Amino acid sequence: MARVRQEPLTSSLLSARDVRELADRLGVRPTKTLGQNFVVDANTVRRIVRVADLSATDVVVEVGPGLGSLTLALLEVADRVVAVEIDPVLAAELPATVRDRARPGTSFDVVLADAVQVQELPGPAPTALVANLPYNVAVPVLLTVLQRFDSLRHGVVMVQSEVADRLVAGPGSRTYGVPSVKTAWYADARRAGSVPPPVFWPVPRVDSGLVVFTRRPTPPTDATREQVFAVVDAAFAQRRKTLRAALATWAGSPARSEELLRAAGVDPQARGEQLTVADFARIAEAGAVA
């Protein structure tokens, strides 16, 4: 069935001045520890929402909403947003910001928690993830949310540009590595443009990138996700070595490594960056049944 998109209804988004005044009133100063860089540009948050391709029926989970800039833009389109915020001061203020500025008829909840610790969310199962992820925890947060909430069908995350390249890289690319393979286990991912530093406060020293993902079935295998990811971690821990050598500890010996690789139809002289997620799944399955 074709998705029916709802045209955005104008709400009172936060301007750069609004963000600073709100932060001053709350006594909030962005910290590197929490990776806080607040978006202060309304055009940017609306662009993120457009790229996310949301409908009114989507239940959106947002990680790290901060002062609510992106939250309000999400509520212009989606009828329900659940935000996960680790900062107690920001989490306490968000409901008031939404009540004062969001369009009528929307539903909002905030969960005070570290996103990598969240096991469940209130209300209906989330269908979309849209988030400005802190640079220092972007990859573990994305992978954890995708793993714990299999109802998520699509979404977009804004991350450091270098991280965006790694998330979407394919086999053979110099940026292809553990984040690339593990993301591919859950979803197809692609770059959807860059975001310049001046749209943030404080202004970061690097560009950001938008990564769009669409959930897809995991590779057909009898191996578990944990077994596959163990092979991925081992292969890239020594990425300059051949797989025969890199997987020797995982397999028990170089000879056993070669045996399992051949059973999986993988050249023992290949390197990790040459393999697809399906290749890693076959290696894990060979190791599991041996």
Side-chain angles (χ1 to χ4, degrees), residues 20-226:
R20 290 180 181 274
E21 289 180 349
L22 185 54
D24 285 343
R25 178 168 64 80
L26 297 175
V28 169
R29 289 294 177 268
T31 69
K32 289 185 178 180
T33 302
L34 295 179
Q36 291 173 325
N37 293 92
F38 301 133
V39 182
V40 296
D41 179 67
N43 289 330
T44 297
V45 292
R46 283 196 169 123
R47 175 189 170 199
I48 294 170
V49 173
R50 285 197 305 271
V51 170
D53 192 28
L54 302 173
S55 72
T57 57
D58 270 310
V59 176
V60 182
V61 58
E62 180 189 8
V63 175
L67 292 164
S69 297
L70 179 56
T71 309
L72 294 171
L74 290 169
L75 287 168
E76 287 187 335
V77 177
D79 288 341
R80 177 163 175 77
V81 172
V82 179
V84 180
E85 175 57 58
I86 195 172
D87 187 316
V89 175
L90 298 179
E93 184 65 19
L94 270 168
T97 300
V98 169
R99 183 180 62 247
D100 293 344
R101 292 175 173 268
R103 65 182 173 88
T106 57
S107 172
F108 175 75
D109 277 305
V110 60
V111 176
L112 175 61
D114 181 342
V116 297
Q117 302 298 327
V118 172
Q119 299 290 336
E120 60 182 8
L121 294 170
T127 61
L129 169 66
V130 184
N132 169 25
L133 294 179
Y135 288 167
N136 55 346
V137 294
V139 173
V141 167
L142 175 61
L143 295 178
T144 297
V145 173
L146 285 172
Q147 183 257 313
R148 290 194 178 144
F149 301 100
D150 58 9
S151 58
L152 289 171
R153 308 318 306 164
H154 66 120
V156 58
V157 292
M158 181 161 57
V159 296
Q160 184 176 343
S161 186
E162 180 181 332
V163 174
D165 289 339
R166 292 174 181 172
L167 290 173
V168 306
S173 167
R174 65 180 181 81
T175 55
Y176 186 68
V178 172
S180 321
V181 182
K182 291 184 178 180
T183 300
W185 173 263
Y186 299 107
D188 293 318
R190 63 177 177 84
R191 281 287 295 257
S194 298
V195 180
V199 306
F200 297 96
W201 173 64
V203 177
R205 296 181 179 180
V206 296
D207 285 348
S208 297
L210 299 178
V211 173
V212 174
F213 70 86
T214 304
R215 176 85 70 167
R216 64 177 180 80
T218 56
T221 178
D222 291 333
T224 65
R225 175 184 58 84
E226 291 83 1

Side-chain angles (χ1 to χ4, degrees), residues 265-277:
V266 176
D267 182 358
Q269 298 305 307
R271 288 175 170 77
E273 60 263 30
Q274 298 171 262
L275 272 57
T276 66
V277 64

